Amino acid sequence: MRSVAGRSAAVLAAAALVLTGCGQGGPGGGGGKISGDKVVLGVINDQSGVYADLSGKNSVEAVNMAIADFKKKHPDSAIKDIEVVSADHQNKPDLANSKAAELYDRQQADIILDVPTSSAALAVANVAKQKKKLHINVGAATTELSGKSCNKYTFHYAYDTYMLAYGTGTTLTQEGAKNWYIVYPDYAFGQDMNKSFTAAVEAGGGNVIKSDPTPFPNDNFSTFLLKAPKLNPKPDVIGTMQAGGDLVNLVKQYNEFKLADKGVGLAVGLMFITDIHSLGVEAFEGVTFTDAWYWNFDDKNRKWADRFQAKTDTRPSFAHAGNYSAALQYLEAVERAGTDESDAVVKELEGYEFDDVFARNGKIRAEDHRMVHDAYLAKVKEKSEVSEEWDYEEIVSTIPADKAFAPVGDTQCQMG
Amino acid sequence: MVDVTQQLFNGLVGGGFLAMLALGLAVIFGMLRVVNFAHGAFYMLGAFGAYLLLTEAGVNFWLALLIVPVGLAVVGMVLERAFVHRLTRLDPLYNFLLTFGLALILQDAVKSQYGTQSKPYSRPALLDGSLNLGLFEYPRYQVFVLVFALVVCVAVWLVLARTRVGMIIRAATERPELTRALGIDVGRWVTPVFGFGIGLAGLAGVLAAPMRAVHPAMGADLIITVFAVVVIGGLGSIFGAVVAGFAIGMVQALGNLYVPAASQILVFILMAVVLLWRPTGLFGREEVLT
């Protein structure tokens, strides 16, 4: 008897839930054009692996800051409720794929943000295309997102391999580092970086003497480092495309072999401020790299970084600021469109020009959905010049938005 | 020519780590018939131990070189008594699972406590700078690592070959039943040997801290190569593990020099070839299953 009663209760409860659900979505709900009366922002990134520090949970915090700022600016907005949901993709494309589907379908996410790791990003972009929901990628580097694999619902926001290569490769070559020796990890990102860097060095009038793929992951780079000064002609600089733990390994060993004293400089393809923080500024002194954003660049950035630090106890990486900006610009676009319906929001975003704490001279290109903005050539300070914790970078020059990213015609994007 | 010599030397330094790790795996396998999947995790703990001793207690590299391996050896012995021991009489799969699970737990515990970013650890001042080796200059620290690894391997070999304890361990490794039948208490030595193997992994970890990235996955990245080393040397063969460790180090260095794209798989190709030619590895002996 009891079990039957229990079951009936469950059926009733389920029916009640379904009915309330209908009520909300129905014409009487009063939400107007915002689906379900709320906007749901999804964040998918690495919350436990190699990229957890540079984006991870603190990116979710940055998105929360964007929501707070949006609400303050638009107290009478049609968007009554904004919610954040997040998932850990562990840098695996298959997991990113299923998490994205889950967020869009079950959690009613209107957009997915962040998604570092190129292969995972391409997987999410594909889901976005199928579900006709938005994806603004902040954390991944591959130019394919706004190139071969571009689509109507995907935007690429913070940086890409072209930006990194153009900034570091072209600029250093023009400053006199004519001969390069490139070492890159042997997987998609490394190969992409190698190609971009070689093109950038050659465009600057330089020459890549040799480029070697290295095992990934790898803890012993001494062979490559010893080889460098003996190449003919001797390279002016070693360009390393390693990231995370591998980068730390390589830099430690570069210092150990005292290659700087032998006249071989070091340029790093992709570096986050968290890398410098973890290894200590001594290890990277004088290393040149391209940064998409730096927290201590000016007062505006600094103020935002102070707010971020109050919440997270750490200074923001460019990925954190990028996620803040992407979430904010998305909400603004929904506000302008008056609806969270994907096609209308895409129309608002395309061609939009703006300035915010992350993007200076920002513009979302309609042709390939690349967000272009000013980038920065940075140099790691000497230890004696560091006046406070996290203040590791000297911004050498600003690379204007129209130069920092690949020209529209070169990106092979067929928007379909 | 200088180039190749220098690269071979390089390979020896990398091989020193492989040899020390493989040596620990080999003695543990020999005595307990357990393939210790957690070996890489203990290598990582060795490096983290050195880092934590320095940052939390101001203990320098030299003391860490003593404290960390001993501490980890004790941890290893406790683990052996508490877990490994209970499973040795069952199917070997149980200990596979145990040590594999242990590796994951240790790695994730360190990750959740200290994050995924690499930790800074600098060389001891005494070993800064480089040394003139006649043909070429070489970083002092790396020369030290190589010498240290060689000394450790030779010392272990001397203990095994020349002492009574060593004799018992060798006998127990090769014919456990017979050794027991002769009235020798083999069980007494199982726990210390396990601890010793773990201590060696910790020692390699401390040595790695100043020249490699100290992060939670550092052991997991390396251990696969170490398994290949042990298989090439011959499972359970202590001499084989050491020789194969140094040899694989040199193969990797030469691979990086001449065919960088293939260097990653070179070790495994070599392993396959050795297994086809000698299924028990270079120095392994046919085992009579009873």
Side-chain angles (χ1 to χ4, degrees):
Chain A
M1 267 317 280
R2 199 192 295 161
S3 82
V4 172
R7 202 178 305 154
S8 326
V11 169
L12 269 178
L17 277 177
V18 169
L19 284 174
T20 16
C22 281
Q24 249 179 23
K33 290 174 177 162
I34 304 293
S35 63
D37 254 356
K38 66 180 175 187
V39 170
V40 180
L41 308 177
V43 178
I44 295 182
N45 59 24
D46 177 6
Q47 307 197 341
S48 52
V50 282
Y51 302 134
D53 286 8
L54 61 91
S55 78
K57 294 201 171 81
N58 286 343
S59 284
V60 180
E61 206 49 58
V63 169
N64 278 320
M65 285 169 71
I67 294 172
D69 288 356
F70 175 81
K71 281 182 175 162
K72 206 194 274 173
K73 192 177 160 201
H74 302 281
D76 308 319
S77 168
I79 313 170
K80 293 283 173 269
D81 197 6
I82 308 169
E83 193 184 300
V84 183
V85 289
S86 73
D88 184 357
H89 70 12
Q90 298 170 22
N91 298 320
K92 294 175 185 151
D94 51 334
L95 203 55
N97 187 68
S98 59
K99 290 284 176 195
E102 185 187 319
L103 254 54
Y104 284 138
D105 288 344
R106 290 234 297 272
Q107 316 230 39
Q108 266 95 50
D110 295 293
I111 179 173
I112 288 174
L113 292 156
D114 208 2
V115 197
T117 307
S118 294
S119 48
L122 291 167
V124 173
N126 196 38
V127 180
K129 183 183 175 184
Q130 284 164 7
K131 308 266 180 207
K132 300 192 192 314
K133 292 280 180 72
L134 268 75
H135 170 41
I136 299 188
N137 187 285
V138 176
T142 181
T143 43
E144 261 195 49
L145 283 169
S146 56
K148 259 194 309 202
S149 306
C150 71
N151 69 62
K152 188 181 174 187
Y153 300 98
T154 298
F155 294 82
H156 199 189
Y157 209 78
Y159 73 120
D160 61 24
T161 53
Y162 181 94
M163 180 204 98
L164 299 168
Y166 180 85
T168 313
T170 315
T171 317
L172 281 184
T173 308
Q174 282 164 354
E175 281 171 5
K178 293 290 174 211
N179 294 318
W180 285 67
Y181 171 44
I182 293 179
V183 285
Y184 62 94
D186 206 359
Y187 68 103
F189 163 79
Q191 291 152 0
D192 199 10
M193 287 290 279
N194 179 42
K195 247 184 266 163
S196 302
F197 256 80
T198 305
V201 167
E202 279 163 5
N207 176 25
V208 175
I209 304 162
K210 196 165 175 37
S211 65
D212 274 336
T214 71
F216 171 76
N218 184 26
D219 53 18
N220 192 354
F221 289 98
S222 29
T223 312
F224 304 103
L225 295 167
L226 283 173
K227 200 154 123 182
K230 306 221 166 91
L231 290 171
N232 190 23
K234 191 175 94 170
D236 303 303
V237 62
I238 296 178
T240 163
M241 307 303 139
Q242 265 68 28
D246 277 17
L247 175 64
V248 174
N249 266 322
L250 188 138
V251 173
K252 266 192 176 178
Q253 289 157 24
Y254 169 87
N255 290 332
E256 185 120 290
F257 284 110
K258 301 219 176 308
L259 287 184
D261 297 349
K262 292 179 185 150
V264 183
L266 184 67
V268 176
L270 170 62
M271 186 153 74
F272 288 89
I273 193 163
T274 41
D275 292 321
I276 310 176
H277 184 71
S278 78
L279 195 51
V281 73
E282 297 102 314
F284 290 105
E285 276 178 359
V287 167
T288 308
F289 66 105
T290 307
D291 205 346
W293 181 86
Y294 179 51
W295 71 270
N296 204 12
F297 175 68
D298 60 12
D299 268 355
K300 192 171 168 182
N301 291 10
R302 206 188 155 89
K303 250 181 220 150
W304 187 82
D306 286 343
R307 281 176 56 205
F308 183 84
Q309 193 177 26
K311 285 180 173 252
T312 61
D313 247 8
T314 176
R315 290 295 187 183
S317 72
F318 79 68
H320 296 136
N323 276 301
Y324 166 86
S325 167
L328 191 64
Q329 295 309 330
Y330 170 75
L331 290 172
E332 292 285 358
V334 173
E335 180 71 21
R336 288 196 302 277
T339 169
D340 61 354
E341 193 271 316
S342 298
D343 290 288
V345 181
V346 167
K347 205 169 278 169
E348 281 303 326
L349 285 170
E350 283 181 341
Y352 187 63
E353 291 181 28
F354 64 101
D355 245 359
D356 68 11
V357 72
F358 174 76
R360 303 298 149 81
N361 302 311
K363 182 184 176 189
I364 300 169
R365 294 200 301 220
E367 297 88 343
D368 58 3
H369 288 187
R370 171 73 250 174
M371 198 280 273
V372 300
H373 58 91
D374 289 358
Y376 309 92
L377 191 68
K379 201 169 190 162
V380 180
K381 288 183 176 175
E382 304 280 322
K383 198 185 181 196
S384 54
E385 299 166 347
V386 174
S387 53
E388 63 178 304
E389 210 185 17
W390 291 99
D391 179 30
Y392 306 135
E393 297 178 22
E394 177 197 337
I395 301 300
V396 182
S397 60
T398 300
I399 306 158
D402 56 338
K403 286 266 174 58
F405 294 89
V408 171
D410 293 1
T411 56
Q412 294 178 309
C413 166
Q414 305 282 335
M415 204 60 79
Chain B
M1 197 50 220
V2 174
D3 238 22
V4 177
T5 330
Q6 195 172 3
Q7 294 296 359
L8 285 177
F9 195 76
N10 226 341
L12 283 176
V13 175
F17 287 104
L18 296 177
M20 272 192 287
L21 287 167
L23 182 58
L25 268 184
V27 291
I28 290 175
F29 180 81
M31 197 77 179
L32 290 84
R33 289 293 179 271
V34 169
V35 177
N36 180 22
F37 275 91
H39 218 63
F42 283 102
Y43 165 77
M44 177 270 292
L45 285 182
F48 262 90
Y51 162 75
L52 288 177
L53 278 178
L54 183 73
T55 49
E56 304 292 324
V59 175
N60 69 20
F61 173 77
W62 301 105
L63 277 173
L65 207 51
L66 185 72
I67 298 173
V68 173
V70 172
L72 284 176
V74 173
V75 172
M77 289 198 277
V78 171
L79 279 174
E80 202 280 333
R81 285 324 295 171
F83 302 110
V84 180
H85 179 72
R86 293 167 201 278
L87 300 174
T88 39
R89 256 169 288 163
L90 300 175
D91 191 298
L93 273 178
Y94 286 92
N95 261 319
F96 274 21
L97 282 178
L98 172 74
T99 53
F100 189 64
L102 198 62
L104 294 180
I105 291 170
L106 290 173
Q107 197 177 318
D108 276 7
V110 172
K111 201 192 273 178
S112 73
Q113 190 65 29
Y114 302 104
T116 54
Q117 288 277 323
S118 303
K119 302 288 173 249
Y121 194 88
S122 28
R123 285 184 300 274
L126 195 63
L127 296 174
D128 247 346
S130 55
L131 210 60
N132 196 339
L133 295 179
L135 282 172
F136 46 81
E137 295 254 318
Y138 209 77
R140 225 176 255 236
Y141 183 77
Q142 303 211 8
V143 176
F144 166 76
V145 167
L146 175 58
V147 173
F148 197 92
L150 283 172
V151 168
V152 168
C153 293
V154 170
V156 172
W157 180 74
L158 281 178
V159 168
L160 289 174
R162 298 286 163 84
T163 66
R164 196 183 141 72
V165 180
M167 209 169 65
I168 295 171
I169 292 175
R170 274 184 301 140
T173 302
E174 293 182 11
R175 292 281 182 279
E177 303 299 323
L178 191 61
T179 315
R180 224 169 265 137
L182 289 171
I184 294 165
D185 185 2
V186 175
R188 244 179 85 191
W189 295 102
V190 166
T191 310
V193 165
F194 191 84
F196 176 74
I198 299 292
L200 271 182
L203 186 63
V206 179
L207 282 176
M211 62 181 279
R212 293 182 171 178
V214 181
H215 61 99
M218 65 186 287
D221 293 348
L222 188 62
I223 200 66
I224 301 169
T225 314
V226 177
F227 280 136
V229 167
V230 174
V231 170
I232 291 172
L235 259 184
S237 164
I238 285 149
F239 182 69
V242 173
V243 171
F246 284 105
I248 294 300
M250 289 195 282
V251 167
Q252 281 183 325
L254 291 180
N256 285 342
L257 185 63
Y258 295 114
V259 274
S263 64
Q264 203 165 10
I265 52 164
L266 219 51
V267 177
F268 301 101
I269 294 175
L270 196 67
M271 182 176 84
V273 171
V274 166
L275 286 180
L276 281 175
W277 171 47
R278 288 183 69 108
T280 50
L282 289 177
F283 300 93
R285 291 184 330 116
E286 293 278 347
E287 204 160 309
V288 186
L289 292 174
T290 45

